[in-house]
């Protein structure tokens, strides 16, 4: 069976109303990474960082998966698919997909003291007590800049076996995810990019357009060719 690995980024959720990062009106145009998305930022001003993620958690909770998320769920029912996402919005999970959430998830909290994780639906407080050990060490379960993404071994193992690798809605600027297409190329995979604009990374095929249109069409083509 063809082994497919798909990496998604903020662009797949844009049409669900979730802001991307690097658009001119994106999150990083309104907030400095160094202020809200690093361990140092959290140590310096936890209220600012919690506030940023509380806002994003609310947005994600109100958002619904779109046609592209649903199409990838359909695809998983027909092929050997490893779905990897950089997104923390949980929309793949809401669509019923199992996605490797390499940058964490807004819907979880993490205790930096004991390592416990929990479902976090509402705002996190400052400080936020860990429900397991009660230490005031709760933080969003988000991989910040300077931290190591989750489940890298699973990602690498899947990419090394991939016959086809597709990158959907990511600007391919943040490593290690930005290097996945090169690894997939080394593994001999056919490389596909879905985006509004070409990122400049090497791909064998570029499909231009909004993910809600391009992804379902591509998925349906694969399914009908099986
Ligand atoms: N359909 C397809 N692609 C889209 C759409 C859409 N409807 N809307 C936007 N895009 C594309 C943009 O052209 C851009 O290339 O999605 C990409 C979004 O890029 P970024 O905002 O940089 O998001 P992403 O690549 O996911 O960022 C990676 O950076 O700050 C970190 O941790 C954060 O996980 C994030 C990582």
């Amino acid at each position: 069976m063809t082994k497919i690995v798909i990496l998604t980024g903020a662009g797949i959720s844009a049409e669900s109303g979730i802001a991307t990062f690097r658009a001119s009106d994106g999150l990083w145009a309104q907030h400095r990474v160094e202020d809200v998305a690093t361990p140092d930022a959290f140590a310096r001003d936890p209220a600012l960082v919690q506030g940023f993620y509380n806002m994003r958690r609310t947005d994600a909770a109100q958002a619904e998966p779109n046609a592209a998320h649903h199409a990838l769920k359909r695809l998983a029912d027909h092929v050997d698919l490893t779905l990897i996402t950089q997104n923390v919005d949980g929309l793949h999970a809401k669509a019923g997909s199992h996605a490797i959430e390499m940058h964490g998830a807004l819907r979880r909290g993490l205790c930096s003291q004991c390592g416990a994780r929990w479902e976090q639906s509402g705002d996190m407080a400052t400080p936020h007590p860990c429900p397991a050990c009660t230490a005031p060490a709760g933080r969003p379960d988000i991989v910040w800049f300077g931290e190591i993404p989750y489940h890298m071994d699973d990602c690498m193992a899947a990419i090394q076996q991939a016959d086809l690798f597709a990158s959907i809605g990511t600007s391919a600027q943040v490593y290690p995810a930005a290097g996945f297409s090169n690894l997939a190329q080394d593994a001999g995979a056919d490389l596909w990019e879905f985006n509004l604009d070409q990122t400049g990374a090497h791909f064998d095929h570029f499909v231009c357009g909004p993910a809600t249109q391009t992804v379902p069409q591509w998925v349906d083509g694969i399914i009908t060719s099986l």
Side-chain angles (χ1 to χ4, degrees):
M1 194 192 263
T2 307
K3 290 185 167 59
I4 298 180
V5 175
I6 293 180
L7 171 69
T8 66
I12 197 170
S13 296
E15 293 163 87
S16 291
I18 303 284
T20 65
F21 295 94
R22 294 175 181 78
S24 54
D25 58 349
L27 285 170
W28 294 155
Q30 294 160 47
H31 307 269
R32 282 165 18 110
V33 168
E34 312 83 63
D35 290 340
V36 295
T38 69
D40 282 353
F42 189 56
R44 210 169 41 239
D45 193 341
L48 179 74
V49 175
Q50 291 286 24
F52 174 71
Y53 287 99
N54 285 342
M55 183 185 71
R56 295 186 56 202
R57 189 177 301 105
T58 301
D59 290 347
Q62 289 168 354
E64 292 298 329
N66 63 46
H69 298 103
H70 290 302
L72 296 184
K73 162 65 178 128
R74 265 198 326 280
L75 184 62
D77 295 338
H78 291 83
V79 303
D80 179 343
L81 173 66
T82 302
L83 178 59
I84 304 169
T85 189
Q86 300 168 90
N87 299 343
V88 295
D89 55 33
L91 290 183
H92 285 302
K94 257 193 196 173
S97 287
H98 170 72
I100 297 176
E101 296 177 315
M102 62 180 288
H103 289 171
L106 287 163
R107 67 181 181 283
R108 282 194 311 266
L110 167 67
C111 177
S112 49
Q113 191 128 317
C114 74
R117 287 187 165 80
W118 60 89
E119 291 297 314
Q120 180 67 41
S121 54
D123 285 356
M124 293 187 81
T126 310
H128 192 95
C130 168
C133 74
T134 71
R139 55 168 278 184
D141 190 11
I142 298 291
V143 177
W144 285 325
F145 283 89
E147 298 183 318
I148 298 168
Y150 298 151
H151 311 300
M152 278 302 99
D153 290 352
D154 294 338
C155 295
M156 295 304 164
I159 293 166
Q160 278 157 11
Q161 303 285 315
D163 299 306
L164 188 158
F165 175 85
S167 171
I168 302 174
T170 173
S171 61
Q173 292 199 29
V174 175
Y175 283 84
F180 285 178
S181 58
N182 283 337
L183 295 173
Q185 185 179 20
D186 292 345
D190 196 26
L191 305 179
W192 290 71
E193 177 167 61
F194 295 80
N195 205 309
L196 299 176
D197 303 300
Q198 251 170 321
T199 58
H202 170 76
F203 284 91
D204 302 310
H205 314 266
F206 173 62
V207 185
C208 180
T212 55
Q213 291 173 28
T214 56
V215 175
Q217 203 174 5
W218 178 68
V219 164
D220 290 344
I222 292 176
I223 292 172
T224 50
S225 72
L226 292 173

